[in-house]
Amino acid sequence: MNRRAIEQLARSQALRQALRGNARLRSDERAKLMLAAQVSVDAIATGAADIGHWKSIFDCTNLIEELCSRGLAHDWKDWHGGLQDAIEAALNRARGGVKALRASELAALREMLDLWGDLLDRVTMRELSAAQDAVLAKTKRVMSQRPAGVRIIEAV
């Protein structure tokens, strides 16, 4: 290959990568993200959840919060607070040995799945990647500083 052909190839690959960032998630990417959340909700609903399932729910919840705060959903703050309350109540009971969810807690988790699926249908690769980076940075900051007024929910 000559130099000109290599430069054209590099430009076309860079263009494809840039365009991919503006593209919506592929169906297999959406399915993979949804499956992780669905499996976790199912495990929690049946009382068979481990820390990995709860971590998946925390990740999903944090990404939903970040994407919504970026304008991808409206009127989500009250709902998100209710979801956090449901998760915290379920975990508090689990620490005491009761792994069963209340109907309202299961409904909150299923509603989370619906919103997650809706967001994944609309979000671009760039938006999701930026949200993941922001959640990681925020989580590191919160866990190291433990600022007042921030609720930290830990899995059992």
Side-chain angles (χ1 to χ4, degrees):
M1 255 184 169
N2 66 23
R3 181 180 166 170
R4 184 177 170 106
I6 292 172
E7 288 173 354
Q8 283 180 326
L9 179 62
R11 278 194 303 269
S12 67
Q13 287 175 338
L15 178 61
R16 278 196 300 273
Q17 286 180 328
L19 291 173
R20 179 71 187 121
N22 288 326
R24 304 259 186 253
L25 297 176
R26 293 188 320 253
S27 61
D28 62 316
E29 294 166 331
R30 286 191 315 268
K32 182 179 175 183
L33 291 167
M34 275 302 295
L35 182 62
Q38 181 66 55
V39 165
S40 295
V41 169
D42 291 345
I44 292 166
T46 61
D50 59 24
I51 273 202
H53 294 112
W54 283 108
K55 182 187 178 312
S56 177
I57 296 300
F58 294 156
D59 291 345
C60 187
T61 303
N62 289 334
L63 280 170
I64 287 171
E65 178 181 21
E66 183 64 30
L67 290 168
C68 289
S69 70
R70 292 169 181 242
L72 290 171
H74 304 287
D75 301 325
W76 60 274
K77 287 186 180 184
D78 288 338
W79 169 82
H80 189 265
L83 174 63
Q84 287 180 323
D85 291 343
I87 291 170
E88 187 173 19
L91 284 171
N92 286 339
R93 278 196 318 284
R95 285 186 191 96
V98 178
K99 294 190 175 193
L101 290 179
R102 293 194 170 119
S104 61
E105 295 162 352
L106 182 56
L109 288 172
R110 296 216 188 277
E111 192 175 345
M112 177 202 71
L113 285 176
D114 291 342
L115 179 56
W116 184 230
D118 181 53
L119 288 170
L120 290 176
D121 286 343
R122 295 183 286 130
V123 72
T124 65
M125 288 294 293
R126 182 171 289 124
E127 290 167 330
L128 182 61
S129 180
Q132 289 169 329
D133 291 345
V135 165
L136 180 61
K138 183 178 179 181
T139 301
K140 285 181 180 179
R141 181 179 50 78
V142 166
M143 294 306 285
S144 67
Q145 297 174 356
R146 299 208 178 244
V150 174
R151 181 164 55 173
I152 298 173
I153 303 171
E154 295 183 26
V156 288

